Amino acid sequence: MKDADAKMVGNEDHEQELLAVDELRQMIDLFNPCTDDYLFVLDFQKDIYYISPHALERFHLPGYYFHHVVDNLLVVTYEKDRQALTEDLEDLLASKTRETHNLIYRWLNKEERPVWINCRGRVARKDGEVVYMVGCINEIGKKQKADNVSGLLGETSLQAFLQSYADVVPDGYLLRLGLDNFKSINTKLGIEYGDMVLRRMGDIIEQCVHEGQHLYRIVADEFMIIDFNGGTAQDASELYRSIRRSLDQFVEENHYEAFVTVSGGILMCRDLQDFSWSQIMKLSEFALTEAKLLGKNRDYIFDQKDYDSFMKRKMLTQSLRQSVANDMEGFEVYYQPIFHSDTGLLSGAEALMRYHTQDGMVMPGEFIPILEETGLIIPAGRWILYEALRFAKRMQDTIPDFRVNVNVSYVQVMKSDVVEDIMEAVRACDMKPKDLVIELTESGLVESDVYFTRLWKQLKENGVKLALDDFGTGYSNFHYLNDLRPDIIKIDRSFTMRAMANEYEYNLLSLLSGMVRNLELKVCVEGVETEEERDKIALLPPDFSQGFFYGRPCAQDVFEEKFIRNAAAG
Ligand code: C2E
Ligand code: CA
Ligand code: CA
């Protein structure tokens, strides 16, 4: 045999026996069951290629044994990588000394989708001429199989790529793309369909990416495009829009079978304090999440200010959670007086939650939404109910019909036995139900109609008073007044302000006053800050008044000092 007596030249100066290509083929067969990788031998002299037979199950190959090696290899090679392969092989053949072939490129799988492989080979030469190459091919994406759904490089490769920039922070951007509601495509149309969408998405992005930009697939439905060539935020935004356009087109061509949209988070290199993997992933994820929170199918450019407030909110959430677990440590109840408009006498107070942190007092506008989002409003709402009722009980020593108003959130209404909680607290604090006013907002009412009406009815039956809070803040629906017959409607400050500035709103207010009189509802005007505002409201006229003009919300002891002693003295 021609090759049998060939000598393999090692990098040391002694020469080794060159193995026969046939022997190599037998060895490959022997190793075949032992490895997922693909072993191969390329016989340059006979122009024959032999690869582990199981490669046939995976790749678009003419066979595991074929002639016309370069032509056939080009057939299995992804179009965009053909040139790189040809160049590398030409260089290998032209060189008298090169001993290794090490190329990362894409082969086509049986479905002719690109799959990243790393082909490493060792060249055997005789008298400087290549005789054969033996080596091994492995799939780069195999550890994260998902990568090969889209035929793109995965997270590990991205990590390696970014690492190469650790010393010199580049100028440019990272665009993190995420499909919106991808999970629902998988559940509604099946995983295979989902895979198809991901593949198309990969193709679409790849077509939009310019030379010198790098594309990776990170997690299931997220991609990362990197431009370290000085691309600006506008460039990134433009790139995002071009991808979105192509995706829209795909959806249209597919007759809206799968309605997919994509969001993009843009992170500029200059926004990175350190160029670490964790920092890059954290901030780019934040940017993408923001884009989704802003309504999806749009992009968002990372802004440090937004990130700071996001972190602040995150810390506040943690702190609130701890406080609730810790017997409501840091929480306090403030009380704002409510007066009878005709006599000017104190009627009661509205209980308003406050929260103290190391950095000072936090207002409900900031923490109530977090309590609602986390469900913590349920224990917190129960707590303020007891606090307020105990407080009112004490105030009744001086003002026997002192009433306390407690705000109840729609989350409590929908997710807890709030009526039971309320009635139990009333009993436990030895209060009369009629001296408790539950305030519910109209906005909550719209969101949870059925629960709301049930609660409303039950509380009425139990003799608890009901106030419709924030009337006039946008959801105003006069028919609620007729249907629900709240005991009290609380006119929001913004409504009165608008009525003062705008004739239409003023007429609305007059209309309301007529309706209120007919239905015999009581009116409380909130947020009265000045005498002028008070006078304007006189047209209703309100039964109760509340606002900074009459008294600000304050701590229990201050309230007693300011409003109860006065009442006692008066
Ligand atoms: P709200 O129920 O409408 O409470 C009235 C808000 O208006 C209070 O804000 C009060 O301080 C403020 N206010 C009173 N008079 C005036 C005034 O003359 N001018 C102006 N500009 N504002 C005035 P606060 O205490 O910051 O509470 C904000 C909101 O947080 C409350 O609005 C309520 O929706 C919610 N909240 C407060 N405590 C609780 C609670 O215990 N449970 C629930 N679910 N929500 C609460
Ligand atoms: Ca209120
Ligand atoms: Ca209000």
Side-chain angles (χ1 to χ4, degrees):
M1 184 170 295
K2 188 175 170 196
D3 321 335
D5 53 3
K7 294 273 184 277
M8 177 162 164
V9 182
N11 31 6
E12 297 92 33
D13 38 19
H14 64 271
E15 293 196 342
Q16 290 175 323
E17 280 290 325
L18 214 70
L19 290 165
V21 171
D22 272 350
E23 285 173 323
L24 290 166
R25 286 211 313 242
Q26 281 166 21
M27 275 171 72
I28 289 176
D29 287 342
L30 272 174
F31 279 118
N32 192 36
C34 314
T35 171
D36 283 343
D37 295 338
Y38 313 95
L39 306 173
F40 69 88
V41 51
L42 195 175
D43 183 337
F44 287 101
Q45 297 187 330
K46 288 188 183 153
D47 197 16
I48 291 173
Y49 190 88
Y50 186 83
I51 187 166
S52 308
H54 72 273
L56 260 195
E57 294 158 24
R58 176 73 175 140
F59 298 108
H60 183 62
L61 284 162
Y64 57 88
Y65 177 68
F66 51 83
H67 289 273
H68 310 295
V69 177
V70 175
D71 289 348
N72 277 311
L73 280 182
L74 287 180
V75 172
V76 73
T77 301
Y78 183 51
E79 200 185 321
K80 288 192 175 177
D81 297 339
R82 285 181 189 155
Q83 195 179 344
L85 177 68
T86 324
E87 280 172 10
D88 194 78
L89 290 177
E90 276 170 7
D91 180 73
L92 195 74
L93 292 169
S95 160
K96 295 278 176 222
T97 51
R98 241 183 87 185
E99 290 180 341
T100 54
H101 161 79
N102 186 352
L103 195 63
I104 295 180
Y105 66 111
R106 283 162 288 191
W107 267 16
L108 299 173
N109 67 9
K110 301 246 313 183
E111 288 78 43
E112 298 188 49
R113 302 286 321 166
V115 168
W116 284 97
I117 57 153
N118 185 5
C119 176
R120 280 167 295 181
R122 175 74 195 251
V123 178
R125 291 178 186 274
K126 190 183 178 198
D127 306 327
E129 288 299 313
V130 286
V131 179
Y132 62 76
M133 173 161 74
V134 280
C136 172
I137 288 172
N138 55 17
E139 283 184 44
I140 303 177
K142 202 133 200 192
K143 279 192 211 94
Q144 328 142 30
K145 278 204 173 98
D147 290 342
N148 284 335
V149 170
S150 61
L152 297 174
L153 284 176
E155 194 174 315
T156 333
S157 315
L158 171 61
Q159 204 164 0
F161 177 74
L162 291 174
Q163 234 154 35
S164 65
Y165 282 90
D167 298 328
V168 247
V169 174
D171 184 21
Y173 64 80
L174 298 101
L175 167 59
R176 188 163 173 164
L177 296 160
L179 287 177
D180 301 322
N181 307 324
F182 180 65
K183 266 201 202 96
S184 83
I185 292 182
N186 263 343
T187 34
K188 278 190 209 139
L189 298 160
I191 288 177
E192 263 173 38
Y193 195 94
D195 280 355
M196 186 277 284
V197 170
L198 282 180
R199 275 199 298 273
R200 282 305 299 266
M201 186 65 197
D203 291 347
I204 284 168
I205 301 175
E206 200 162 16
Q207 276 155 19
C208 296
V209 162
H210 308 297
E211 203 159 314
Q213 294 178 330
H214 300 262
L215 169 61
Y216 298 87
R217 171 142 181 246
I218 26 182
V219 283
D221 51 355
E222 289 183 17
F223 302 83
M224 183 86 94
I225 299 174
I226 291 175
D227 181 320
F228 286 169
N229 308 314
T232 63
Q234 283 74 15
D235 296 338
S237 212
E238 206 137 287
L239 176 59
Y240 163 76
R241 282 197 299 273
S242 71
I243 291 165
R244 194 175 71 178
R245 271 196 302 274
S246 305
L247 186 63
D248 287 349
Q249 210 175 340
F250 160 68
V251 171
E252 211 178 301
E253 281 163 9
N254 234 16
H255 308 294
Y256 294 87
E257 184 168 23
F259 185 64
V260 260
T261 56
V262 64
S263 296
I266 295 166
L267 176 62
M268 303 306 295
C269 290
R270 58 162 187 270
D271 285 324
L272 287 156
Q273 276 93 28
D274 65 282
F275 205 74
S276 66
W277 170 252
S278 64
Q279 174 95 347
I280 291 169
M281 291 319 269
K282 205 165 63 187
L283 300 194
S284 63
E285 185 179 7
F286 167 77
L288 177 57
T289 309
E290 281 295 293
K292 293 197 176 196
L293 286 175
L294 288 167
K296 298 181 177 153
N297 200 24
R298 56 163 293 161
D299 62 343
Y300 162 87
I301 300 167
F302 179 88
D303 183 336
Q304 190 64 39
K305 282 198 294 293
D306 295 345
Y307 187 67
D308 291 343
S309 58
F310 161 78
M311 286 308 286
K312 202 174 143 204
R313 190 183 161 100
K314 201 168 149 181
M315 311 265 275
L316 181 59
T317 310
Q318 259 166 11
S319 159
L320 286 165
R321 207 170 252 137
Q322 255 168 20
S323 294
V324 171
N326 240 337
D327 231 0
M328 303 301 291
E329 184 188 44
F331 282 92
E332 193 186 354
V333 187
Y334 266 34
Y335 295 94
Q336 184 176 30
I338 299 172
F339 293 94
H340 291 283
S341 302
D342 52 355
T343 59
L345 292 176
L346 185 69
S347 153
E350 176 172 359
L352 295 159
M353 225 183 267
R354 295 291 181 267
Y355 183 61
H356 303 274
T357 66
Q358 282 166 339
D359 303 328
M361 192 157 81
V362 189
M363 296 304 280
E366 211 172 320
F367 71 82
I368 294 278
I370 300 180
L371 292 181
E372 290 181 334
E373 212 171 87
T374 52
L376 291 170
I377 192 73
I378 293 169
R382 217 173 270 144
W383 169 81
I384 198 174
L385 196 59
Y386 278 86
E387 287 287 312
L389 286 167
R390 275 197 289 266
F391 168 77
K393 183 77 192 166
R394 237 186 23 256
M395 298 305 110
Q396 288 187 345
D397 293 343
T398 316
I399 303 170
D401 54 0
F402 186 93
R403 275 180 173 179
V404 72
N405 292 28
V406 176
N407 294 283
V408 165
S409 152
Y410 72 97
V411 176
Q412 290 167 276
V413 177
M414 295 201 295
K415 307 229 163 105
S416 72
D417 280 327
V418 72
V419 179
E420 237 165 71
D421 285 345
I422 291 171
M423 295 325 296
E424 204 175 301
V426 168
R427 274 191 298 276
C429 300
D430 190 26
M431 284 283 287
K432 290 188 272 307
K434 70 165 183 58
D435 292 335
L436 172 64
V437 181
I438 294 295
E439 296 197 4
L440 293 155
T441 61
E442 280 185 281
S443 53
L445 201 149
V446 172
E447 285 172 67
S448 55
D449 243 327
V450 189
Y451 293 93
F452 227 95
T453 38
R454 193 190 309 152
L455 163 96
W456 202 261
K457 195 166 150 262
Q458 288 175 337
L459 287 179
K460 275 201 160 189
E461 282 167 7
N462 280 294
V464 173
K465 295 275 175 254
L466 288 160
L468 191 56
D469 201 0
D470 296 348
F471 193 85
T473 50
Y475 287 93
S476 279
N477 229 328
F478 282 21
H479 81 85
Y480 285 142
L481 297 182
N482 199 22
D483 296 352
L484 294 169
R485 302 287 174 123
D487 301 283
I488 300 153
I489 65 163
K490 297 192 78 174
I491 310 275
D492 190 74
R493 171 175 168 73
S494 61
F495 192 9
T496 33
M497 296 290 284
R498 285 202 310 271
M500 286 171 66
N502 170 320
E503 201 184 312
Y504 173 79
E505 299 278 345
Y506 187 85
N507 290 337
L508 211 61
L509 196 63
S510 323
L511 190 74
L512 178 68
S513 76
M515 190 164 169
V516 160
R517 258 193 297 275
N518 281 339
L519 295 171
E520 297 179 338
L521 313 176
K522 300 252 187 279
V523 173
C524 175
V525 179
E526 285 192 289
V528 181
E529 285 185 1
T530 63
E531 232 172 320
E532 194 198 348
E533 282 168 25
R534 183 198 60 185
D535 295 344
K536 201 83 182 180
I537 304 301
L539 118 120
L540 274 166
D543 301 274
F544 305 103
S545 308
Q546 184 183 352
F548 292 171
F549 178 70
Y550 302 97
R552 286 179 179 260
C554 57
Q556 278 192 50
D557 48 348
V558 180
F559 187 94
E560 280 184 67
E561 172 74 35
K562 265 197 183 160
F563 305 110
I564 301 294
R565 288 212 187 139
N566 275 352

